[in-house]
Amino acid sequence: MAGRNGRTVRDLRRANRTAVLQRLYFDGPLSRFELGPATGLSSGSVSNVVADLVADGLVEEAGSVDSDGGRPRTLLRVAPASGHMIGVDVGETRVRVELFDLTLTELARAERPLAPQRHDVDVVVGHVRDGIAEVLATAGLPPERLLGAGIGVPGIVEHTADRGAVVHGQTVGWDAVPLEALLRAGSPLPDTVPFLIDNGAKTLGQAEMWFGAGRGARNAVVVLFGSGVGASLVTPEAEQGRAVEWGHLTVRVRGRRCRCGALGCLEAYAGAESLLARWREEGGRVPEGTDEETALTAMLAAAYPADGAAADPVALAVLEETAEYLGAGLSDLINLFQPERILIGGWAGLQLGARFLPAVRRHAVSYALRHPARKVTVDLGRLGPDAVTVGAAILPLADFFARGGRRPEPAPEYPVPAWRTALEDRAPH
């Protein structure tokens, strides 16, 4: 039965369960007495909701605390083993899959390397499927125990009614790839376990806002600095973050060609791939036969030698120029969105780290308008190289909270595209 505002009793119960679960998750352990003011619910409602959640195995006792003159109050917390999520990072050099319990404690992980500049759809889909099967087997967890598998991908993600999540990843050669349908076909997961897919910069942003350096900020930009660059904008109107294709902002007319095909993109100057290419073009000694992460480590060591040796002037000059491009790019974010915080993550951002950050800050402030520049802080993210997988795992966790701790309905059956069926028909049996 619906009330005057159109909400049913079921809606109200779900909202109350969500409120209690979220407060216990982020602020717990808490007593029933503390949950009242924390959630705005009456003591009777709190007792009823807690009883339901305990009966469902989602909430458990976590000791007690003394009260003022009365009996000790029992503390409650979310039960870590009551749910599990998978987070997947379809990155630039590898596919990383991690299994987490409900408190985002890692239980197992698997990694599959990707050849440089090779993101063949079938290869990536296979890596994701195999990685999911591996982490479940390692942990001995039945697939039906999962709340969902969250996946962070490069590019723009479009959620469609007939094909699920479709990925437009121009820089990796993906043109309207129906990734959700492809993963669902032949998936090791039952239909009750959803695939939730979003942009990798956005999942990085979600992780930093929930658990990292973004906590407490209402307006923030989280930057992913890897082979390319991307960003996620978090505002009161977009609390879950909104991916912005910041790396394809034009910073030089008729400039270097970006891997997206356009000229003068920020990514063509500030991404790790272009940074190493410029070092090589200027005569730098880029290690042959190594991946980007190893090569960038070598470049950083050459520019800032730890043993007192002379710095490689070419490596140093390219890094300093890259810091200026990044700073100039951040100034556009400052002027456009006036964030409280800018956080830099991604494997390249973390590698360059504190050595790089002061110059980036200095250039960002010098290029930005004075008023918004005075209000913003520019720092590194805190969650390290696993931030994208943690953020991807937040996708099913947030969905679980929104359902009031209820399990999702069976996933829809999206049709597999004809080109995929044709490929499978030609595959050897």
Side-chain angles (χ1 to χ4, degrees), residues 73-103:
R73 292 189 179 124
T74 301
L75 293 176
L76 303 166
R77 69 176 182 184
V78 172
S82 60
H84 300 81
M85 300 84 65
I86 281 177
V88 180
D89 175 10
V90 179
E92 294 146 334
T93 60
R94 64 174 62 86
V95 174
R96 176 181 288 140
V97 181
E98 295 183 57
L99 174 67
F100 302 92
D101 68 14
L102 201 62
T103 60

Side-chain angles (χ1 to χ4, degrees), residues 144-192:
E144 59 270 14
R145 293 278 301 279
L146 286 174
L147 300 177
I151 303 169
V153 297
I156 298 169
V157 179
E158 178 186 13
H159 297 279
T160 69
D162 58 339
R163 295 191 296 168
V166 175
V167 182
H168 305 270
Q170 191 166 324
T171 60
V172 295
W174 287 14
D175 182 13
V177 171
L179 187 60
E180 185 174 352
L182 293 176
L183 287 170
R184 181 57 62 190
S187 167
L189 303 181
D191 289 344
T192 53

Side-chain angles (χ1 to χ4, degrees), residues 28-69:
L30 296 170
S31 67
R32 290 172 177 80
F33 178 79
E34 292 170 310
L35 278 169
T39 59
L41 300 177
S42 68
S43 59
S45 293
V46 168
S47 294
N48 290 336
V49 171
V50 167
D52 284 346
L53 294 173
V54 170
D56 289 346
L58 296 175
V59 168
E60 62 186 16
E61 293 185 0
S64 61
V65 291
D66 293 334
S67 61
D68 296 334

Side-chain angles (χ1 to χ4, degrees), residues 208-209 212-222 338-343 375-379 382:
E208 288 290 349
M209 296 303 292
R215 289 201 68 178
R218 296 179 71 250
N219 298 276
V221 175
V222 184
Q338 302 182 29
E340 300 167 44
R341 301 177 198 174
I342 293 177
L343 306 173
K375 295 185 173 184
V376 70
T377 59
V378 181
D379 291 299
R382 293 179 187 165

Side-chain angles (χ1 to χ4, degrees), residues 256 268-269 274-282 318 321-322:
R256 293 176 63 89
Y269 295 91
S274 65
L275 193 158
L276 292 167
R278 283 160 44 226
W279 186 30
R280 184 180 293 107
E281 290 165 8
E282 295 295 327
V318 172
E321 183 183 44
T322 300

Side-chain angles (χ1 to χ4, degrees), residues 70-366:
R71 292 184 301 173
R73 292 189 179 124
T74 301
L75 293 176
L76 303 166
R77 69 176 182 184
V78 172
S82 60
H84 300 81
M85 300 84 65
I86 281 177
V88 180
D89 175 10
V90 179
E92 294 146 334
T93 60
R94 64 174 62 86
V95 174
R96 176 181 288 140
V97 181
E98 295 183 57
L99 174 67
F100 302 92
D101 68 14
L102 201 62
T103 60
L104 286 175
T105 298
E106 182 190 313
L107 304 178
R109 74 161 55 198
E111 291 192 356
R112 301 287 190 276
L114 288 172
Q117 301 177 344
R118 293 297 301 274
H119 281 71
D120 294 339
V121 175
D122 279 356
V123 171
V124 171
V125 168
H127 284 345
V128 173
R129 286 179 183 162
D130 293 345
I132 289 174
E134 181 179 332
V135 296
L136 290 173
T138 299
L141 186 75
E144 59 270 14
R145 293 278 301 279
L146 286 174
L147 300 177
I151 303 169
V153 297
I156 298 169
V157 179
E158 178 186 13
H159 297 279
T160 69
D162 58 339
R163 295 191 296 168
V166 175
V167 182
H168 305 270
Q170 191 166 324
T171 60
V172 295
W174 287 14
D175 182 13
V177 171
L179 187 60
E180 185 174 352
L182 293 176
L183 287 170
R184 181 57 62 190
S187 167
L189 303 181
D191 289 344
T192 53
V193 178
F195 288 101
L196 302 168
I197 301 168
D198 218 325
N199 175 269
K202 182 176 173 181
T203 67
L204 169 69
Q206 287 180 319
E208 288 290 349
M209 296 303 292
W210 278 37
F211 302 108
R215 289 201 68 178
R218 296 179 71 250
N219 298 276
V221 175
V222 184
V223 170
L224 193 158
F225 176 24
S227 292
V229 290
S232 175
L233 171 68
V234 180
T235 66
E237 296 75 31
E239 293 182 1
Q240 299 302 317
R242 178 165 60 89
V244 290
E245 291 294 332
W246 174 60
H248 303 288
L249 187 82
T250 302
V251 294
R252 177 176 288 184
V253 176
R254 293 186 296 275
R256 293 176 63 89
R257 187 167 298 280
C258 178
R259 57 183 180 168
C260 76
L263 297 175
C265 293
L266 174 63
E267 189 168 292
Y269 295 91
E273 180 181 309
S274 65
L275 193 158
L276 292 167
R278 283 160 44 226
W279 186 30
R280 184 180 293 107
E281 290 165 8
E282 295 295 327
R285 297 183 297 276
V286 181
E288 297 296 332
T290 60
D291 58 29
E292 282 185 359
E293 296 185 34
T294 304
L296 188 61
T297 300
M299 183 180 189
L300 187 61
Y304 306 105
D307 56 4
D312 178 339
V314 176
L316 187 60
V318 172
L319 283 169
E320 289 177 345
E321 183 183 44
T322 300
E324 184 167 6
Y325 274 113
L326 270 176
L330 293 182
S331 74
D332 290 325
L333 296 176
I334 293 169
N335 291 342
L336 285 170
F337 304 116
Q338 302 182 29
E340 300 167 44
R341 301 177 198 174
I342 293 177
L343 306 173
I344 298 176
W347 64 265
L350 295 172
Q351 270 202 39
L352 295 173
R355 175 74 75 173
F356 203 54
L357 195 59
V360 173
R361 281 197 194 107
R362 185 173 65 252
H363 291 302
V365 170
S366 69

